[in-house]
Amino acid sequence: AFWASAGDFFGAAAETGAALALGWVVLRAAENGRGWPWRALQSPGLCYVGKISYGIYALHNLVGFVFFDRLVRLFAGLGKPFAEIAVALALTLLAVGAAALSWHLLEAPVDRYRRSLGYRKAEAGGLAG
């Protein structure tokens, strides 16, 4: 029981450390708009992931539900640690791919259609009366 608790502690500590490190990068990029944190966050790859990030969030559980067992069987011959890494990478790639398809086939066309409708803003104060 101790080792399981220790594993939970170290896992939480690692996740907290990663969150703090990434938060520092975002803070540095936001505060001065220059240097490597800014350039890294402005890279085309990260900007694209940001564009499809809601799709990743919305679809990752579905991707896991559909593909997890199949991928576990597919990579079982690699041995436990390598199989777990392979499954995680494959699920990540599938979720990103599904989000990219969702963006290009559904979200972007709906957004273009929405923008083409045109609308007028409501006046401040709500309904006239």
Side-chain angles (χ1 to χ4, degrees):
F2 169 76
W3 292 112
S5 297
D8 291 343
F9 171 77
F10 289 117
E15 289 178 8
T16 301
L20 289 172
L22 292 173
W24 177 84
V25 168
V26 171
L27 179 64
R28 288 295 312 263
E31 71 185 7
N32 61 17
R34 61 182 185 275
W36 73 265
W38 177 258
R39 286 191 307 275
L41 292 174
Q42 297 301 312
S43 70
L46 280 181
C47 288
Y48 183 73
V49 169
K51 185 186 297 187
I52 66 169
S53 63
Y54 181 76
I56 296 170
Y57 163 74
L59 296 171
H60 79 279
N61 280 330
L62 177 63
V63 167
F65 178 77
V66 171
F67 292 105
F68 182 79
D69 290 336
R70 292 176 178 97
L71 291 170
V72 167
R73 286 193 301 275
L74 177 67
F75 295 120
L78 297 177
K80 186 173 180 170
F82 295 112
E84 289 175 349
I85 292 169
V87 168
L89 287 174
L91 287 173
T92 300
L93 291 174
L94 287 167
V96 169
L101 285 172
S102 172
W103 172 258
H104 292 286
L105 299 176
L106 180 66
E107 295 171 59
V110 167
D111 192 47
R112 281 192 301 273
Y113 176 71
R114 179 189 60 86
R115 290 173 194 249
S116 73
L117 294 177
Y119 63 94
R120 59 187 178 97
K121 293 184 179 182
E123 293 183 23
L127 298 173

